[in-house]
Amino acid sequence: MTGTIETLEPLRRHLLPIAHLNSAASVLSWDQETYMPPGGGEARAEHLATLQGLAHERLTSPETEELLGRWLDLKTGEPLSGATDGWNPIARALLRETWRDYTKAKQVPNDFVRRLGKTCSLAQQAWAEAKKQDDFASFLPHLTAIVVLKKEEVGYRGPVPTPYDALLDTYEPGATTAQLLPLFAALKRRLIPLLDRIVHSPVKPREALLTRRYDRDRQLAFGRMVLEAMGYDFSRGRLDISAHPFTTSFHPSDVRVTTRVSEQDFTGSLFSCIHEGGHGLYDQGLPATHYGTPLGESVSLGLHESQSRLWENCVGLSRPFWQHFYPLLQHTFSDQLRAVAFDDFYAALNSVKPSFIRVDADELTYNLHIMLRFEIERDLLEDRVRVEELPQLWRDKMKSYLGIVPPTDREGVLQDVHWSLGAIGYFPTYTLGNLYSVQFFNQARRDIPDLPDRIARGDLLSLKAWLNERIHKWGRLYTADELVRRVTGEPLTPDHFLTYLGNKYGELYKL
Ligand code: ZN
């Protein structure tokens, strides 16, 4: 019988050890961020480099080429005449996505991968020190070297309309600058005036009530309880502490999340739990039967971020969510919150204010932070700006988008780790995630008409089941564009997101 997944069994068997190597590397990375003693860093970097090198070697090996060549023209990636006639969509997608991974890995020469890896490893350490000392000059040579290497990478990636597309595609397959520009323009057009009206509104939420002293263990217990309510399965997951919260998956049966805890502010820990929990539900919901093939993976970083932002913002910052959870929070932190009225708490949680740090930004100003980075990255790749000009360019753009100027580079151009990791072209996936999240959530509300009531009763499992069914279980069977059309009946649009923000903050700030 042709056209079933069994036809591709030799390919699947060949790919499986690559997944095992990657999962082992992920365990080591998770450990590095959670429990590894500080002295282990150097040796750990070598362990990881070896595992990643072996995985890359096997993916780009002649065996992979031979297997793909049975069905595909190795020059174009198109199916050989008649070779895949009558195949089912799963088998076709498996071949299409394996081809994509293979060509992506094959495009860049091995010595380039090593040079980039070494440069980034040094750059990351230099960045951490530069940020601590607020010393951009010491990071400058490292960032300059990375920008040179990323331009070299653009050259390997084959012909693209703009250099940015070559890098963006690594994180968000199929996305292009031409598609992003109108999205960002629409956001800019609506968000900047909306922010201006909010800043000048007489309504001033009392944020200070969130920054009292909140016991660490109680915060963690509360975060854990919310994760359980979301349907995050602790028999296939863990919650640990790390400096920067993240989610990692070794297999759908072992998906781990982390959070950070500050005694002064419970929102950092709780919203990290909810955000990473959204990522975790996606990874736990991926099809285990396709583990080791692209079909067992998520669609893109933007799609992954849509899951975390949907839970964090559309659910975690909503009235229905707190109708159920606020009394529980008040019970947990009785001294701090007993006397705080629901509306004051809700307004404080959703207060909008221009701020310097992206990761602390509210859901309205967040995308302005991304836009600024997107513009700077394009300017760098297209030689419109030199690396040494970035601190000033950053301040200028902050002034024009958010009306504030960071007093230090630590709170400006040095704040994010991404560039030191060589991750140029990554930031737009955060904004795509925000737009997808509201578009998906609106569809969930149409499909489950009493969804707000369910959430207000503490039932988060209906939404989780909807996400499992509509998004998670498909892995990479569909592209991001196909998936969003299938789920919501239309392509990605900023309209849902903008309407959501307009309504929510119009009401909160009485605009
Ligand atoms: Zn995230």
Side-chain angles (χ1 to χ4, degrees), residues 196-214:
D196 190 61
R197 289 164 67 207
I198 289 173
V199 169
H200 293 100
S201 158
V203 178
K204 304 284 177 212
R206 290 165 40 223
E207 295 149 69
L209 59 90
L210 303 176
T211 51
R212 294 169 176 172
R213 205 190 142 275
Y214 293 92

Side-chain angles (χ1 to χ4, degrees), residues 100-115:
R100 180 188 147 83
D101 291 351
Y102 167 75
T103 44
K104 276 271 178 208
K106 202 74 175 167
Q107 277 169 351
V108 283
N110 214 282
D111 89 287
F112 172 80
V113 175
R114 278 203 304 275
R115 277 187 290 132

Side-chain angles (χ1 to χ4, degrees), residues 27 99 164 229 249 251 262 328 388 454:
V27 179
W99 169 258
Y164 201 79
S249 170
H251 184 270
S262 152
L328 300 173
E388 50 267 45
R454 291 187 193 212

